[in-house]
Amino acid sequence: PARQMQDTDAIAPTGRDGGNPPVPTRGQRKQCHARRDAFFACLDANGIESAEKAADGAGCAALRAAMHEVCLESWATYFEKLRMMQIQKARFFGSDGTFVKGQPPSKEAGPDKK
């Protein structure tokens, strides 16, 4: 569910066409990032990788709901997808960006690419 703006929120103007969602204020962005960080810290502390699997007894589901409540829906979805991409990247590549031994090669790697 998309975040509902409160009466007390200062709503920045929409795009020229009027169809874009309101631009979050600096305070709203700060709240969003704080909720995201708390949610991801909970996932990390409990060894949970996927945001969708946060509906466990660890209390992360409430933090996920809080993030989705404060952040624009597109932002919350982006943060969750970015987290998974970063985790997958860390699995396949070392800190220096080289391929981790023992992992399957990517589909782009041909026989002469290693």
Side-chain angles (χ1 to χ4, degrees):
R3 178 187 185 279
Q4 298 295 320
M5 294 288 180
Q6 302 296 322
D7 291 338
T8 57
D9 289 340
I11 299 176
T14 61
R16 288 189 185 146
D17 61 359
N20 296 326
V23 177
T25 63
R26 180 179 295 172
Q28 291 167 333
R29 290 191 307 268
K30 253 181 127 170
Q31 284 183 334
C32 175
H33 292 147
R35 300 275 176 102
R36 174 203 61 194
D37 294 344
F39 173 51
F40 288 171
C42 180
L43 294 179
D44 291 340
N46 291 286
I48 302 168
E49 290 184 356
S50 173
E52 288 81 27
K53 294 182 182 175
D56 61 350
C60 298
L63 292 171
R64 181 180 191 223
M67 179 183 73
H68 280 266
E69 178 184 319
V70 171
C71 299
L72 293 173
E73 189 61 29
S74 60
W75 286 28
T77 302
Y78 170 77
F79 292 147
E80 291 176 356
K81 287 180 181 181
L82 179 63
R83 174 184 166 82
M84 285 308 301
M85 286 188 295
Q86 290 170 335
I87 289 171
Q88 291 170 353
K89 181 180 175 183
R91 277 194 193 130
F92 292 108
F93 296 98
S95 59
D96 60 354
T98 59
F99 194 66
V100 176
K101 203 173 199 177
Q103 297 291 337
S106 67
K107 292 179 181 177
E108 292 85 32
D112 57 337
K113 296 180 183 177
K114 294 186 180 182

